[in-house]
Amino acid sequence: MSNPAITLVPPRRYYDTATVAETHRRLPAEGHNISENALRGFIRQGILPAVKIGRKSLLYYPNVVKLLTEGNNHVTSDDERPSYIPAKISV
């Protein structure tokens, strides 16, 4: 006999554009292991493109997966950098 107390939970639906926290929750479910702070660091360094809305950063998920799978081999020089993006600072 079936137990009426057990219900199936529908799979979670993810969107391609999400906040850093939402993206971080999705990554382990799809086999990627990276911390939320690492994602935020990539945004700060300009490695991972994001759109800032208030205090939140929105990420496009395919860009995150591309960065994690292919890496960031192309470093743009200051000549190719748009004027509104500040130069990278070496520490």
Side-chain angles (χ1 to χ4, degrees):
M1 299 211 158
S2 65
N3 186 349
I6 297 175
T7 58
L8 295 176
V9 177
R12 184 176 175 96
R13 181 171 180 202
Y14 293 108
Y15 296 99
D16 280 347
T17 305
T19 64
V20 175
E22 291 166 346
T23 302
H24 176 256
R25 282 194 297 272
R26 180 178 178 178
L27 286 169
E30 297 185 7
H32 301 286
N33 187 16
I34 186 168
S35 71
E36 188 173 337
N37 285 334
L39 288 174
R40 293 183 193 284
F42 289 152
I43 293 168
R44 265 193 312 275
Q45 295 171 16
I47 297 171
L48 186 61
V51 175
K52 294 281 282 183
I53 298 180
R55 295 182 66 200
K56 293 185 183 270
S57 296
L58 294 180
L59 300 171
Y60 184 58
Y61 190 75
N63 286 345
V64 177
V65 172
K66 184 177 178 182
L67 174 69
L68 295 177
T69 56
E70 298 176 13
N72 187 22
N73 296 330
H74 177 69
V75 178
T76 59
S77 67
D78 283 342
D79 297 335
E80 299 173 5
R81 177 181 50 82
S83 61
Y84 57 87
I85 298 178
K88 292 185 179 178
I89 300 172
S90 300
V91 224

